[in-house]
Amino acid sequence: MRLLSRFARRLNVRTYDIRERLRRDLILLVLVIVGSLIALTLLLGSQIRKNIATDQIERNTVNATRSLDQLMLPAERTIRILRGWGETGHLDIGNTAALTKRLIPTMEEMPQISGVILADSDGSEYLLIHEDEQWLTRTTTQSAAGDAQLHWVQWDGFGKMIRDWKDTSGYDPRTRPWYTGALNQLGDDDIFWTSPYIFEALQVPGATASFGWRANGDAEKVTVAGVDVLLSEIESFLSKLRIGDQGMAFLFDANGAVFIPDTDRDAASGPLPAKRTFFPVQRNSGGNEVFDAVGAWLDAGKPDNGSVRFGSGGERWWGRFVRLYADKNALWLAVVVPQSDLFGVIQRHWVLFALLVLVVLSAGIGLAMLFVSRYSRQLKDLPKTSIDRDDGEAEVYALIRSGESPTLEFKSTMRMNLKAGRPGKEIELAWLKTVVAFMNTEGGIVLLGVDDAGEILGMEVDGFENDDKCRLHFKNVVNQHVGLENSHYLRFEILNISGRKIAAVECERSREPVFLTAKNDESFYIRSGPSSVRLPVSKAFHYMQNHFH
């Protein structure tokens, strides 16, 4: 509290009486505490916002990934069903009608699956496609001439053939990515997912889950089952996920090529090609958060499951990027959310936070005022050790009327012996003795230029050339007889009262014993009533033990 008082004094905050000082110090303490809390919040705000953003975007990404896993799960289940049929001998690629009747009911329950493929190491293939309420099968056999014989059949929903036609092609299923991928991990129990590619039959992008196994009794014969999932189905699913108010999820490949979302969604964020395919970020830029997000991901070094902050359309965004399968070149998922969504909770409660700070500040100031008011009677009895400079004359007259006391003493001059008509050292030591006594007790005020009867004589008789010379003399005698180390407890002011100059020496209570040094002798004084009393060594030692701590 003493430190706060000195700080306020350096700011030229005038001290009035002990109540005003206490009130001021308590309010200043409240302001310092609240201000420190606000400053700490602002200093840590950047890291706090980053942590909040990272946690929020990670939570959104986990939710999107789990939802996407649920979408893709039927494809993997279908693969395992086909594997079970094949390993038990209930899967005949050449029996198109039987396979179609068995698979159509299964695929009707899984709209995300666009096709089912079965192929073997001889190059034979069975493909069932579901598109626009149509069911098509294509069986492929390799001829001796190297051409593939294609047999197309259109079916109704009950597995009844509507029409068929034949064609030839250079197509070989054994060269397709889903076949070679499954063949490379033959013997593993993991399902292989391809990178996005263009389906040969539909000429649209998608991904295929596949699994291969060896036929019973024939170690050289390999069968591979695949399930096609259109990226448009995945994107349509992602577009319906709720990711904040303005967030979104989309697909892209390891090279940063983005699968274009639905055109209705594009209209709100900028012009994009209507064709459903992959587009490198270089081809599109300028305010579209999808391409800006992938561009930031590329610039950041393609972090896997990492968060990246970027700007788009004049707003800050956060994105998180995860690969959906173990193969780093396979399909990737991006979840991007504007910063305003991530900090929405904080922003929505900012007014509440500001009101809370105001309430705390008001409550602190109110308690300080209440504390001072409650103890005002006790505070009135505390010694007065300072003068209000804004109303110095009234303060001095009030002090003079109150008379000398344990905290107030009058001295006619600062250095002039009026009886002898010359300066005398004994005059200086007289008021210095009182100063030391005040400092060793409870503090007080010495008025120089006022006699014992309270008459204002003025200090003109001391003969100082000007006020600066008077202040310099005060400083010198204090340093000589009281000590420079104790001078910070004293304040010297020259006041004009009724046309005459007097000086006020304001003395604070010292935290350590103060001695008056004169002629190589140190004396210890305390205040006893309106008098200054010198204590002998034994009593001084006892007093110090009880008074200073």
Side-chain angles (χ1 to χ4, degrees):
M1 198 68 69
R2 190 185 299 273
L3 180 62
L4 292 176
S5 177
R6 289 183 188 146
F7 176 71
R9 179 173 290 180
R10 290 194 184 101
L11 293 177
N12 293 322
V13 177
R14 300 300 185 180
T15 56
Y16 306 122
D17 56 23
I18 191 65
R19 285 179 298 169
E20 294 299 328
R21 294 178 64 186
L22 182 58
R23 182 183 292 113
R24 180 206 60 207
D25 290 346
L26 288 174
I27 292 175
L28 183 59
L29 180 62
V30 171
L31 292 174
V32 168
I33 293 174
V34 174
S36 299
L37 292 175
I38 294 175
L40 183 62
T41 302
L42 293 176
L43 288 174
L44 298 178
S46 177
Q47 186 61 42
I48 292 173
R49 287 194 298 271
K50 182 178 180 180
N51 292 340
I52 291 175
T54 302
D55 291 343
Q56 290 275 36
I57 193 70
E58 182 178 0
R59 188 178 299 111
N60 286 326
T61 303
V62 169
N63 292 337
T65 304
R66 287 176 178 173
S67 300
L68 192 56
D69 286 342
Q70 293 299 314
L71 176 73
M72 308 296 274
L73 187 60
E76 297 188 358
R77 287 177 177 172
T78 301
I79 290 288
R80 300 192 185 280
I81 291 173
L82 293 174
R83 172 192 176 186
W85 290 350
E87 291 179 342
T88 56
H90 293 86
L91 194 63
D92 184 1
I93 295 178
N95 193 340
T96 303
L99 271 176
T100 303
K101 288 182 179 180
R102 294 180 69 178
L103 290 174
I104 284 179
T106 302
M107 291 182 63
E108 282 181 335
E109 300 299 322
M110 294 178 287
Q112 62 268 48
I113 297 177
S114 66
V116 174
I117 318 167
L118 292 167
D120 61 24
S121 51
D122 295 332
S124 299
E125 180 196 62
Y126 166 86
L127 170 65
L128 174 63
I129 303 172
H130 184 200
E131 184 185 35
D132 298 330
E133 304 301 326
Q134 293 186 21
W135 296 94
L136 293 175
T137 61
R138 183 191 68 191
T139 55
T140 303
T141 56
Q142 303 297 322
S143 68
D147 293 334
Q149 304 298 315
L150 308 179
H151 183 197
W152 292 89
V153 180
Q154 182 180 1
W155 309 81
D156 64 15
F158 299 100
K160 181 179 180 180
M161 186 174 66
I162 300 175
R163 66 187 182 95
D164 71 327
W165 64 95
K166 294 182 178 181
D167 196 2
T168 60
S169 170
Y171 171 75
D172 189 338
R174 294 170 293 185
T175 64
R176 302 302 288 170
W178 52 270
Y179 187 94
T180 57
L183 200 63
N184 289 335
Q185 62 180 45
L186 198 65
D188 295 341
D189 196 45
D190 294 332
I191 291 176
F192 172 77
W193 278 93
T194 68
S195 302
Y197 71 104
I198 302 299
F199 290 162
E200 192 275 338
L202 299 176
Q203 288 299 300
V204 293
T208 301
S210 60
F211 189 87
W213 65 89
R214 299 187 185 278
N216 292 333
D218 189 350
E220 299 299 324
K221 189 70 175 289
V222 175
T223 303
V224 174
V227 173
D228 291 337
V229 179
L230 294 176
L231 294 190
S232 58
E233 289 292 332
I234 300 177
E235 181 59 42
S236 177
F237 172 81
L238 292 176
S239 67
K240 297 174 184 177
L241 291 179
R242 181 172 179 80
I243 303 176
D245 294 332
Q246 305 176 63
M248 65 180 68
F250 60 89
L251 303 173
F252 67 103
D253 68 16
N255 296 318
V258 179
F259 180 72
I260 301 303
D262 294 340
T263 53
D264 289 342
R265 189 178 175 87
D266 301 340
S269 56
L272 294 174
K275 184 180 179 182
R276 293 173 178 272
T277 185
F278 284 88
F279 285 84
V281 295
Q282 300 92 289
R283 298 185 185 177
N284 301 272
S285 60
N288 184 278
E289 57 273 9
V290 172
F291 293 105
D292 290 337
V294 177
W297 174 74
L298 291 171
D299 293 339
K302 300 183 178 181
D304 183 9
N305 202 24
S307 299
V308 176
R309 189 171 67 168
F310 63 96
S312 181
E315 186 174 4
R316 302 303 298 175
W317 289 70
W318 285 79
R320 198 169 184 89
F321 308 87
V322 295
R323 55 183 176 181
L324 297 179
Y325 311 112
D327 183 3
K328 67 179 181 179
N329 294 316
L331 199 62
W332 285 69
L333 170 69
V335 175
V336 296
V337 184
Q339 190 164 275
S340 57
D341 276 11
L342 298 176
F343 299 153
V345 174
I346 295 178
Q347 292 174 345
R348 285 193 294 270
H349 292 81
W350 174 249
V351 175
L352 180 61
F353 174 75
L355 288 175
L356 181 61
V357 171
L358 183 61
V359 168
V360 171
L361 185 60
S362 301
I365 294 176
L367 287 174
M369 302 294 286
L370 178 63
F371 177 83
V372 174
S373 299
R374 182 174 181 181
Y375 293 96
S376 60
R377 180 174 299 176
Q378 292 87 335
L379 293 173
K380 288 179 180 178
D381 297 332
L382 293 176
K384 186 175 182 59
T385 60
S386 62
I387 296 175
D388 180 8
R389 269 53 176 182
D390 293 334
D391 195 13
E393 187 167 342
E395 285 270 284
V396 169
Y397 279 121
L399 287 172
I400 292 174
R401 285 194 298 270
S402 66
E404 292 184 320
S405 68
T407 58
L408 178 64
E409 184 155 329
F410 306 147
K411 294 296 180 182
S412 299
T413 63
M414 185 176 188
R415 66 179 180 179
M416 182 63 68
N417 188 323
L418 296 179
K419 292 181 179 180
R422 56 178 174 77
K425 194 65 178 179
E426 69 281 0
I427 301 300
E428 294 174 344
L429 292 176
W431 62 264
L432 284 171
K433 175 179 65 176
T434 303
V435 167
V436 169
F438 281 154
M439 295 169 70
N440 285 328
T441 314
E442 299 298 333
I445 301 173
V446 179
L447 293 180
L448 303 176
V450 180
D451 66 11
D452 293 341
E455 182 180 352
I456 298 176
L457 304 178
M459 293 178 57
E460 287 78 3
V461 69
D462 284 308
F464 292 106
E465 295 179 15
N466 51 51
D467 291 349
D468 289 338
K469 294 288 186 179
C470 181
R471 294 188 181 93
L472 179 60
H473 184 75
F474 171 81
K475 179 180 177 181
N476 291 335
V477 295
V478 166
N479 292 344
Q480 180 184 357
H481 298 288
V482 181
L484 177 62
E485 70 278 9
N486 298 311
S487 60
H488 63 277
Y489 292 112
L490 304 176
R491 188 179 183 191
F492 183 76
E493 288 289 339
I494 297 176
L495 306 171
N496 288 310
I497 307 295
S498 299
R500 295 184 178 180
K501 291 183 179 180
I502 69 168
V505 183
E506 297 174 350
C507 311
E508 291 186 19
R509 174 178 173 174
S510 173
R511 286 176 290 181
E512 296 178 352
V514 179
F515 296 86
L516 179 65
T517 302
K519 296 181 180 180
N520 298 321
D521 181 40
E522 290 186 339
S523 303
F524 185 80
Y525 290 90
I526 64 169
R527 198 69 175 169
S528 178
S531 302
S532 299
V533 179
R534 179 179 179 179
L535 295 183
V537 174
S538 59
K539 291 185 178 181
F541 180 74
H542 180 74
Y543 179 87
M544 294 176 195
Q545 283 185 317
N546 292 281
H547 187 77
F548 298 101
H549 49 79

